[in-house]
Amino acid sequence: MKHVFLLLVFLITVAIPHQAQTPISDSTRLSKEQVLAQVGELKKLIDEKIWPTYNDPAYSMEMNYYEEGPFRMHLDQAEDDTLARMECSSPEITIQAVPSVKTYEEWYAMLMHECFHGFQYKHTEFWNKMLASTPENFITSDSLKALRRNYEWYRNILSKENALLKKAYEASDIHEVRHILTDFYSIRDERLKAVKDRLGLDIIEFYPIIETVEGSARYIEYCLAREQGITDTDWMTNLDSNSCYYASGLYLILIMDKFGIPYKDELFLKYNTLTELIQNKTR
């Protein structure tokens, strides 16, 4: 069986702020049965309060839970999608590999982010589009981060783009949002075309779709964190990081939430990207 590890371990290098929740420790170690039961309850909660159909059996996926061995937290794809699994290390293993994840609440929010990739994967047409848009020999997370890290011109354009996105989120009128997003799309097009012209890397189709993949998963994590009483979520909306496509996708969703624009029952069935959806909904 051929396994494809496209979505890499989630934000290992990002500092996640500590919350006064339940610290992960050997003295409070959870059994596999306890973890899986809580995962089931969280999926129900997400389905009811955050993203309808998240707990639909049609989008379910089995989980391999590891209480020892190397750190794992990703979607394990396969040529036969019935064999796809979520690979999940225990909180005790996770805290050794990702010390910034200090509490069970943070760990569950992180896990539900990754499980949402399984939900996306089960929307076959959407997922196939994502795979088809991925440039050859392109490592999703590291390659995009390297662009911002290594090229000043890229950072400068991206900074203008993200400033407009934040301005759109802070706007109080949908007509103002529409105007700001028009400029946002224009500068984004400039950046993606510049990457192709200057570096020979075509991410024009890929960037908006990976923003959709990671931004919507970040939205699940963001909302669940708040449901669990974690109030310091500023790091999740950080547009200045090398992986800011997580936050930009989240902002696009939060804009739609703010103005009551429906999207959750359409995104993975009718649209390939958040950009396409919000452009259509704000015309």
Side-chain angles (χ1 to χ4, degrees), residues 136-204:
E136 290 186 16
N137 303 317
F138 188 78
I139 301 174
T140 304
S141 178
D142 290 344
S143 297
L144 287 181
K145 290 177 184 178
L147 288 174
R148 187 181 183 281
R149 184 171 59 246
N150 296 335
Y151 299 103
E152 183 177 5
W153 59 266
Y154 184 91
R155 288 195 298 273
N156 289 339
I157 300 174
L158 186 57
S159 178
K160 294 177 183 177
E161 179 184 320
N162 286 335
L164 285 168
L165 180 59
K166 191 169 183 180
K167 184 179 179 181
Y169 171 70
E170 293 171 347
S172 57
D173 181 84
I174 189 62
H175 301 292
E176 183 183 2
V177 170
R178 185 182 299 120
H179 176 74
I180 295 169
L181 287 181
T182 297
D183 293 337
F184 166 77
Y185 303 136
S186 178
I187 293 178
R188 166 163 292 185
D189 288 345
E190 175 190 343
R191 174 171 61 87
L192 298 182
K193 288 175 182 175
V195 171
K196 184 177 181 180
D197 294 342
R198 297 188 187 195
L199 305 176
L201 178 61
D202 187 352
I203 58 171
I204 292 173

Side-chain angles (χ1 to χ4, degrees), residues 12-31:
I12 289 178
T13 60
V14 173
I16 301 176
H18 173 66
Q19 300 293 328
Q21 300 287 300
T22 309
I24 297 170
S25 70
D26 285 335
S27 64
T28 54
R29 180 181 291 268
L30 303 175
S31 69

Side-chain angles (χ1 to χ4, degrees), residues 18 32 42 59 84 93 102 120 123 145 183 233 260 277:
H18 173 66
K32 177 180 179 179
L42 289 175
Y59 306 126
I93 293 176
K102 300 181 184 300
Q120 296 162 343
H123 290 79
K145 290 177 184 178
D183 293 337
T233 54
L277 191 152

Side-chain angles (χ1 to χ4, degrees), residues 15-19 106 109 169 218-239 247 250-251 254:
I16 301 176
H18 173 66
Q19 300 293 328
E106 291 169 343
Y169 171 70
R218 170 64 62 82
Y219 175 79
I220 297 298
E221 184 177 16
Y222 176 84
C223 293
L224 182 58
R226 289 173 172 263
E227 286 287 338
Q228 295 183 117
I230 300 173
T231 56
D232 185 1
T233 54
D234 289 348
W235 67 273
M236 295 192 195
T237 56
N238 180 15
L239 289 167
L250 173 60
Y251 266 115
L254 293 178

Side-chain angles (χ1 to χ4, degrees), residues 71-172:
F71 172 63
R72 305 171 176 91
M73 188 67 75
H74 59 256
L75 167 63
D76 184 3
Q77 303 170 80
E79 289 180 347
D80 178 356
D81 69 4
T82 63
L83 301 175
R85 298 287 189 275
M86 285 305 307
E87 297 284 286
C88 168
S89 288
S90 69
E92 294 76 26
I93 293 176
T94 300
I95 197 173
Q96 295 175 28
V98 193
S100 51
V101 178
K102 300 181 184 300
T103 71
Y104 289 104
E105 289 78 10
E106 291 169 343
W107 181 82
Y108 278 119
M110 176 185 183
L111 175 57
M112 290 299 101
H113 170 119
E114 295 302 330
C115 285
F116 197 69
H117 292 318
F119 176 82
Q120 296 162 343
Y121 176 82
K122 290 290 188 174
H123 290 79
T124 307
E125 185 175 343
F126 169 83
W127 196 259
N128 286 342
K129 178 67 176 178
M130 190 272 289
L131 294 175
S133 72
T134 307
E136 290 186 16
N137 303 317
F138 188 78
I139 301 174
T140 304
S141 178
D142 290 344
S143 297
L144 287 181
K145 290 177 184 178
L147 288 174
R148 187 181 183 281
R149 184 171 59 246
N150 296 335
Y151 299 103
E152 183 177 5
W153 59 266
Y154 184 91
R155 288 195 298 273
N156 289 339
I157 300 174
L158 186 57
S159 178
K160 294 177 183 177
E161 179 184 320
N162 286 335
L164 285 168
L165 180 59
K166 191 169 183 180
K167 184 179 179 181
Y169 171 70
E170 293 171 347
S172 57

